[in-house]
Amino acid sequence: MAERSTAAVDVADNGGDEPPAADAAKVTADGVDTQNGRAADGPMPEKDGERRKAAPAAAPELHSGHKLARRYRLEECVTRLDGFSSWRAMDEKLRRAVGVHLLPADHPRARAVLAAARSSALLGDPRFVHVLDAVEENDLVYVVHEWLPDATELTALLAAGPLEPHEAYQLVTQVSQAMAAAHREGLAHLRLTPSAILRTSTGQYRIRGLAVNAALRGITSDTPQRADTEAIGALLYAALTQRWPYEVDAYGLTGLPKGVGLIAPDQVRAGVHRGLGELAMRALANDGATASRQEPACTTPEELAKAVAAMPRIKPPEPAFTAPPEYQHTTYQQGSYGRPPTHPGGRVPQPVAVPPAPLQSRTGRVLKWGVAALLIAALGLGSWQLADTLLDRGKGDNGGTSNSQSTKTNEDEKKPKESKPLHIGSAATFGKDPIKPEDAGKAVDGNPDTAWITKIFYGYGGKFGNLDSYDDGSGIVVDLGSVQEVTGIEADMYAAGHKVEVRAAAPEASSPHGISDFPQELVKLGNTGKKLQATVDTPIKTRFVLVHITTLPSDGSGDGYRGGIGEIKVLGPAG
C-alpha cells in the first residue's frame, strides 16, 4: 500500500456552493467513487475569490502506468474532480517524481490552465513549486510540476499545535515576500490555504499552485492582491492560534465561535506574540476594521512584507543546555603559590607537623623484611585456595545441575509471558452507514498488499462525528469465532494521523452493532502512527474486537481526508 507524499498537488475541491444532486450523480457515474474513493461531503465555502462553474466535461480515462510524451509515467491518481484529474507520476528521463494535472483539451478551463501554467513557469522564483511543462497533446492538456518528497504541509504542522513565534515570523516573512514578487509580475494565487504552503527539511517555505490551482477551479477575483493578502493573514492567524479565522472549520482547524466576528489572536490563545498578532489582524482587516493600535490595514502583499520588515526581528529560541561548573583557579593562577594561606581576621595557621622519617635503623630493616615475607605467604595461601575452589566448581558442573537449573527457573519467571496471534473467523465494517463493507475481509486476510480503505471526505476536519451518516465513526469489527482471552492488538494503518480506539464486546455478546456494545477498552482513544500496537496486563475475554476510527488523516491533496486499515492481528496468551 503506497504512502502519499505530503507534496501532493492541492487540487481537491474545497470551495463553491453545494453541488446539485444531478452533478453529484454525474461524479459518481464518472467512476470517481468506485475508482478513487472520492466523496464530496460538505464542501467549504470559498473565501478568496469567485468560482466559475465548469460545464460538464468527462475527466480523461487514464490509468496507472500510462505514459505522457513517452516520458511521464502515471503512478497514482491524487484527485479526479470537475473534469480534471491530478496524478503523482515518474519522469523516466530524469528519474524523479513529478506531479501532473490532466484535463481534456475541450474542457472550458483548458486554455486558462495552460496560460496560467506558462505564466507561472516564467517566474522562476525558488520560493514557489515550479511548473516544469505545460503541453496540449492528443486531445489532452497536462501541466507537469515539481514534487517535493521531503516537504511537509502547513496543515500537518498545525495539526501538531501552533507554531513558535520565530517559526510564524519566518512563515509570514517568506510567504509575503514571495507573493509580493509574484504580483509584481502580474501573477496571483487566489488559493493560499494551509495545504498550499510546504515547509522543506531546511526550514524554507515554498508555495505551490501559483495561478494554476485557481485556474483549475475557475476562481477569479476583482482584487487579487487584496485576496492574497487576506489569505496570508489567515495563515498567520492559524499559525499563532491553531484556529481558522472564520466561523467554519477548515483544513483540520476549528473555526471561531459563531456570532463574535473576527477577534484578536491573543483573545483566542494566551501567550500569542503581540506584534505578530497585530500583523495578522492588519492583513485580515480589509473591510474597515483595524488592529488594536489603529494601524492601517495591509491590502497588498508588498505592504504586508514591508510591515513585517519594520517589526523587530524575532530571534530563534535559545538551545537548552546545562551551565558548566564554575572554573576553579589554581593557587599558581591566584598568585598565592609558595605563600602560606591567610584566613579571615589575618590569622596565620599553625604549621603542620612533619611526619617522622621512615625507620632507617637495623631494627627497622628487619621489620620491613618480616612484613614482606608475611605478604608473600598470604598471597601463596590465597592462590592455593582459589585453585581448589575452581576445581570443586568444575566437578560440580560435571556431576549435577541443580544450582544452574534453579537460577534458570528464576530467570524464566521474570520474563513476560509471550503472546500469539489468535485465529480470526471473519471481519465486518462498523458504522451507522458501513463504508465499503465488501472490502472488510482485506483487513484480516494476512496479505499486506490489500487493505480496507475509506472513501475520501471533504471538510469537517475528517471528523466522522460531524456527519449524520457516520456519527459513531467507522472501523472494522473482528470476529474471533468464539470467546477468547485477548492480550493485545496489532494493526497496520493506511497512513499516520488516524484517531483510533480499540474496544471489545462483552463475552456474552452475539451480534454487537453500536459503540455501546463494546464496553471493554483495549486502547484509549488517541492519535496513532502508521503502526498501532498495544498490550494489556490482564487478558480480556471477548469474541468481538472493534478497531474504531473517529477521525481520518489528510489524504495529501489538501482538502480531503481518507483512512483505512491494512492488516489486523489480535493477540492472545501463547500458553
Side-chain angles (χ1 to χ4, degrees):
M1 183 169 54
E3 291 186 30
R4 184 164 297 157
S5 166
T6 57
V9 185
D10 174 24
V11 295
D13 190 5
N14 195 326
D17 300 327
E18 191 79 22
D23 291 345
K26 181 67 170 60
V27 170
T28 304
D30 286 343
V32 175
D33 180 67
T34 58
Q35 294 182 18
N36 300 288
R38 312 300 297 188
D41 294 66
M44 304 297 300
E46 288 287 350
K47 300 296 296 183
D48 46 8
E50 297 180 5
R51 175 176 176 170
R52 298 193 304 266
K53 295 285 185 178
E61 292 297 333
L62 301 177
H63 55 81
S64 299
H66 183 89
K67 285 187 182 180
L68 299 172
R70 299 181 180 179
R71 175 175 179 176
Y72 304 111
R73 186 182 73 247
L74 304 181
E75 293 193 341
E76 181 186 10
C77 183
V78 177
T79 301
R80 191 183 299 273
L81 187 72
D82 282 354
F84 71 87
S85 60
S86 298
W87 296 74
R88 175 173 59 84
M90 175 60 66
D91 183 348
E92 295 187 336
K93 184 176 181 180
L94 298 180
R95 296 186 177 275
R96 63 179 179 180
V98 294
V100 178
H101 301 307
L102 278 167
L103 65 165
D106 59 352
H107 192 285
R109 299 174 189 161
R111 303 275 75 78
V113 171
L114 272 177
R118 289 167 179 170
S119 299
S120 177
L122 295 175
L123 183 60
D125 193 309
R127 292 168 293 193
F128 293 91
V129 175
H130 293 158
V131 172
L132 305 175
D133 209 350
V135 180
E136 180 178 357
E137 180 183 62
N138 296 332
D139 299 328
L140 283 177
V141 168
Y142 58 89
V143 176
V144 183
H145 61 87
E146 284 185 292
W147 189 278
L148 307 179
D150 67 333
T152 304
E153 281 187 10
L154 181 60
T155 307
L157 296 177
L158 295 181
L163 302 186
E164 293 291 335
H166 173 72
E167 195 65 34
Y169 174 78
Q170 290 296 322
L171 168 69
V172 69
T173 299
Q174 296 181 33
V175 174
S176 62
Q177 291 177 356
M179 289 310 305
H183 278 282
R184 284 195 293 269
E185 299 298 326
L187 293 172
H189 196 292
L190 303 184
R191 283 288 296 173
L192 275 175
T193 65
S195 57
I197 307 299
L198 303 176
R199 186 183 187 275
T200 66
S201 57
T202 60
Q204 179 187 12
Y205 286 94
R206 298 188 66 180
I207 304 171
R208 66 184 175 192
L210 177 66
V212 176
N213 282 0
L216 284 167
R217 291 171 176 77
I219 297 173
T220 61
S221 176
D222 294 333
T223 55
Q225 295 201 54
R226 190 166 171 176
D228 282 344
T229 305
E230 183 175 354
I232 300 173
L235 295 175
L236 178 58
Y237 193 103
L240 296 173
T241 64
Q242 203 185 11
R243 298 285 292 270
W244 192 238
Y246 304 102
E247 293 183 354
V248 293
D249 299 345
Y251 313 108
L253 301 173
T254 304
L256 298 179
K258 294 184 178 180
V260 300
L262 180 63
I263 54 180
D266 55 5
Q267 296 178 351
V268 177
R269 175 177 170 268
V272 170
H273 189 278
R274 182 177 179 183
L276 291 176
E278 292 180 348
L279 197 65
M281 294 295 289
R282 292 177 63 186
L284 283 167
N286 283 333
D287 295 321
T290 55
S292 58
R293 287 163 51 180
Q294 299 299 314
E295 295 185 1
C298 299
T299 58
T300 67
E302 188 78 38
E303 292 179 0
L304 182 58
K306 290 180 179 179
V308 176
M311 286 180 55
R313 184 176 179 273
I314 301 175
K315 297 181 179 180
E318 294 289 340
F321 67 96
T322 304
E326 185 179 354
Y327 178 72
Q328 300 293 331
H329 292 280
T330 64
T331 55
Y332 179 78
Q333 291 170 322
Q334 293 172 348
S336 59
Y337 180 73
R339 301 179 186 175
T342 58
H343 291 260
R347 292 183 292 105
V348 178
Q350 296 298 325
V352 179
V354 180
L359 295 175
Q360 298 296 332
S361 63
R362 181 179 179 183
T363 305
R365 288 195 296 271
V366 172
L367 180 59
K368 287 190 290 183
W369 282 108
V371 172
L374 288 174
L375 289 174
I376 292 172
L379 288 173
L381 179 61
S383 300
W384 176 79
Q385 289 180 338
L386 178 60
D388 187 56
T389 302
L390 292 174
L391 290 173
D392 290 343
R393 182 174 296 178
K395 293 178 182 179
D397 291 341
N398 294 330
T401 60
S402 59
N403 291 338
S404 63
Q405 288 177 349
S406 175
T407 303
K408 186 176 181 181
T409 302
N410 293 337
E411 291 177 354
D412 291 342
E413 290 178 354
K414 295 179 182 179
K415 293 180 181 178
K417 295 182 179 179
E418 297 181 355
S419 299
K420 67 174 182 180
L422 298 175
H423 172 73
I424 296 177
S426 61
T429 306
F430 175 83
K432 184 177 178 181
D433 185 4
I435 301 174
K436 295 187 178 180
E438 68 277 4
D439 291 343
K442 295 179 180 180
V444 296
D445 61 359
N447 184 358
D449 296 329
T450 62
W452 170 78
I453 303 174
T454 72
K455 301 178 290 186
I456 296 184
F457 294 85
Y458 295 98
Y460 302 105
K463 298 176 183 177
F464 280 114
N466 290 334
L467 306 176
D468 293 337
S469 299
Y470 308 98
D471 55 0
D472 282 339
S474 188
I476 295 294
V477 177
V478 174
D479 184 357
L480 301 176
S482 62
V483 176
Q484 304 281 343
E485 287 190 343
V486 175
T487 60
I489 184 81
E490 293 181 1
D492 296 324
M493 307 305 294
Y494 174 70
H498 291 75
K499 198 167 187 179
V500 181
E501 65 178 342
V502 182
R503 309 187 69 86
E508 63 274 9
S510 59
S511 57
H513 295 289
I515 193 68
S516 60
D517 295 333
F518 295 87
Q520 304 183 87
E521 184 178 73
L522 275 78
V523 180
K524 291 184 178 180
L525 181 64
N527 292 326
T528 185
K530 193 77 166 53
K531 186 82 172 178
L532 171 64
Q533 290 180 307
T535 58
V536 294
D537 296 332
T538 304
I540 294 176
K541 289 187 176 182
T542 186
R543 175 180 172 181
F544 300 96
V545 177
L546 166 63
V547 181
H548 184 215
I549 302 173
T550 63
T551 303
L552 298 174
S554 171
D555 72 332
S557 66
D559 303 336
Y561 299 88
R562 188 180 197 179
I565 303 172
E567 199 63 38
I568 299 174
K569 291 182 182 178
V570 181
L571 306 179

